[in-house]
């Protein structure tokens, strides 16, 4: 078969946290400026270094999520993008898969239109629930036949559906800190227990994300996480997804558009232009 085409699937959080922080605006604006027909400084610099953001075979798709999952029909014959909502997150299906993952060069006009309209479409969204785990599973269902990279923009804590994160794990030990531990005049087992609890916070609460990562690597899928929380999220539990799938973590604590827009743009450009091995074959000869 022919070589695997580069595939980029943008999975974007549109909960109220994402909207209020400005994440959706800066993500849409950045993606649009990186598309082939749009010229900006980043694209110019990339081309000057013999790097193309998207080659002629590149496929891209866009999925958004809050308490439901939203797919977008990017068929080049459409004058306006169609949104399809899957509200039953426990019984996910992919509507019109051939029109959700499309060639970026052939369908750029429709993609441009969607990226222009997405911030306004969700401007008044007040939904705080986040089904990020189910959205990830939907993304895998969409691209598992060809593999590729999921660029996962997360602002809210996954709190409904699959792969949820227990924020109470952080709240439980919120009052403890290394400063209090080392400045304390008390000694003994109590200090040791506090230190161990701090260390435990750096470990995953469970193996769900690690197991999910192992299941998607067989489809040549990697996940890059752009973590943009306003408040603390349990990154320790989510990070095995990135580590075990061969992806990268980009972290923007207490995200706001004025502080992080340039950083996000540069790191997204890097994620899209860095040399990537989509699949490989190893032969072992024994004689």
């Amino acid at each position: 078969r022919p070589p695997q085409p580069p595939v980029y699937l943008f999975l974007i959080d549109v909960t109220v946290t994402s909207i209020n922080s400005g994440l959706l605006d800066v993500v849409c604006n950045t993606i649009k400026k990186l598309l082939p027909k749009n010229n900006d400084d980043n694209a110019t610099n990339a081309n000057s270094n013999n790097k193309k953001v998207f080659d002629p075979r590149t496929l891209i798709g866009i999925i958004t999520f809050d308490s439901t999952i939203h797919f977008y029909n990017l068929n080049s014959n459409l004058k306006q993008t169609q949104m399809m909502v899957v509200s039953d997150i426990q019984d996910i299906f992919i509507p019109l898969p051939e029109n959700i993952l499309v060639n970026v060069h052939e369908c750029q006009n429709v993609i441009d239109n969607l990226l222009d309209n997405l911030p306004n479409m969700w401007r008044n969204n007040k939904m705080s629930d986040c089904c990020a785990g189910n959205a990830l599973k939907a993304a895998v269902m969409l691209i598992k036949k060809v593999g590729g990279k999921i660029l996962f923009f997360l602002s809210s804590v996954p709190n409904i559906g699959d792969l949820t994160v227990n924020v109470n794990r952080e709240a439980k030990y919120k009052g403890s800190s290394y400063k209090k531990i080392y400045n304390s005049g008390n000694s003994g087992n109590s200090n040791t227990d506090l230190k161990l609890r701090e260390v435990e916070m750096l470990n995953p609460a469970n193996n769900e994300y690690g197991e999910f990562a192992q299941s998607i690597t067989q489809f040549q899928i990697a996940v890059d996480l752009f973590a943009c929380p306003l408040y603390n999220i349990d990154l320790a539990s989510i990070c095995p997804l990135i580590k075990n799938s061969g992806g990268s973590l980009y972290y923007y604590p207490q995200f706001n558009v004025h502080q992080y827009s340039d950083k996000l743009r540069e790191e997204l450009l890097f994620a899209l232009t860095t040399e990537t091995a989509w699949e490989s074959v190893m032969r072992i000869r024994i004689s």
Side-chain angles (χ1 to χ4, degrees), residues 191-226:
N191 280 354
T192 302
D193 290 342
L194 287 175
K195 292 178 183 179
L196 290 175
R197 288 176 180 177
E198 293 284 356
V199 172
E200 286 175 2
M201 295 300 300
L202 302 177
N203 295 320
N206 53 58
N207 295 324
E208 289 184 353
Y209 278 93
E211 293 171 355
F212 180 66
Q214 292 175 11
S215 71
I216 68 176
T217 53
Q218 62 182 309
F219 304 118
Q220 292 88 41
I221 296 175
V223 180
D224 282 358
L225 173 60
F226 293 78

Side-chain angles (χ1 to χ4, degrees), residues 2-21:
Q4 175 184 352
V7 176
Y8 298 99
L9 181 58
F10 298 95
L11 187 61
I12 307 172
D13 184 345
V14 292
T15 60
V16 63
T17 305
S18 173
I19 303 303
N20 291 342
S21 68

Side-chain angles (χ1 to χ4, degrees), residues 196-262:
L196 290 175
R197 288 176 180 177
E198 293 284 356
V199 172
E200 286 175 2
M201 295 300 300
L202 302 177
N203 295 320
N206 53 58
N207 295 324
E208 289 184 353
Y209 278 93
E211 293 171 355
F212 180 66
Q214 292 175 11
S215 71
I216 68 176
T217 53
Q218 62 182 309
F219 304 118
Q220 292 88 41
I221 296 175
V223 180
D224 282 358
L225 173 60
F226 293 78
C228 309
L230 279 180
Y231 309 104
N232 291 332
I233 60 175
D234 190 4
L235 272 182
S237 294
I238 301 174
C239 275
L241 169 64
I242 315 307
K243 179 180 178 181
N244 295 339
S245 70
S248 300
L249 171 65
Y250 304 93
Y251 183 43
Y252 312 86
Q254 296 180 329
F255 180 86
N256 69 77
V257 66
H258 303 292
Q259 181 178 0
Y260 287 117
S261 60
D262 290 339

Side-chain angles (χ1 to χ4, degrees), residues 144-155:
K144 68 180 182 180
K145 290 185 178 180
V146 290
K149 179 179 286 189
I150 298 172
L151 295 106
F152 181 28
F153 298 88
L154 181 65
S155 184

Side-chain angles (χ1 to χ4, degrees), residues 61 64 105 174 223 274:
T64 58
H105 290 266
K174 189 175 180 181
V223 180
T274 188

Side-chain angles (χ1 to χ4, degrees), residues 27-215:
V27 168
C28 290
N29 184 51
T30 301
I31 295 173
K32 182 179 178 181
K33 288 186 176 181
L34 295 178
L35 294 178
K37 297 178 184 177
N38 300 329
N39 296 320
D40 69 347
D41 293 338
N42 288 332
T44 302
N45 292 336
N47 291 332
S48 66
N49 293 325
N50 296 321
K51 291 184 179 181
K52 294 183 178 180
V53 179
F54 298 110
D55 82 5
R57 299 183 305 127
T58 300
L59 304 178
I60 77 167
I62 298 173
I63 299 175
T64 58
F65 63 91
D66 47 18
S67 63
T68 57
I69 304 170
H70 325 114
F71 300 92
Y72 299 91
N73 186 343
L74 301 177
N75 189 301
S76 59
N77 295 322
L78 295 176
K79 294 183 178 180
Q80 188 171 2
T81 310
Q82 297 175 347
M83 181 175 72
M84 297 159 285
V85 180
V86 175
S87 56
D88 187 355
I89 60 175
Q90 298 300 340
D91 187 18
I92 301 171
F93 69 97
I94 307 298
L96 302 175
E98 67 279 2
N99 292 328
I100 297 174
L101 196 65
V102 298
N103 183 282
V104 65
H105 290 266
E106 295 174 359
C107 303
Q108 180 168 338
N109 290 337
V110 180
I111 297 169
D112 278 340
N113 181 267
L114 173 61
L115 293 172
D116 285 336
N117 291 328
L118 266 181
N120 290 329
M121 288 170 58
W122 297 104
R123 185 74 63 198
N124 298 319
N125 188 24
K126 302 300 180 184
M127 179 59 64
S128 59
D129 288 336
C130 176
C131 66
N134 297 81
L136 278 167
K137 292 185 176 182
V140 170
M141 289 174 62
L142 178 62
I143 67 172
K144 68 180 182 180
K145 290 185 178 180
V146 290
K149 179 179 286 189
I150 298 172
L151 295 106
F152 181 28
F153 298 88
L154 181 65
S155 184
S156 299
V157 176
N159 63 347
I160 61 171
D162 299 333
L163 302 175
T164 56
V165 171
N166 183 10
V167 292
N168 291 329
R169 190 169 80 106
E170 291 196 350
K172 185 176 180 181
Y173 304 120
K174 189 175 180 181
S176 63
S177 66
Y178 284 113
K179 183 177 180 180
K180 291 182 180 179
I181 291 171
Y182 293 119
N183 289 342
S184 174
N186 298 326
S187 60
N189 293 333
S190 60
N191 280 354
T192 302
D193 290 342
L194 287 175
K195 292 178 183 179
L196 290 175
R197 288 176 180 177
E198 293 284 356
V199 172
E200 286 175 2
M201 295 300 300
L202 302 177
N203 295 320
N206 53 58
N207 295 324
E208 289 184 353
Y209 278 93
E211 293 171 355
F212 180 66
Q214 292 175 11
S215 71

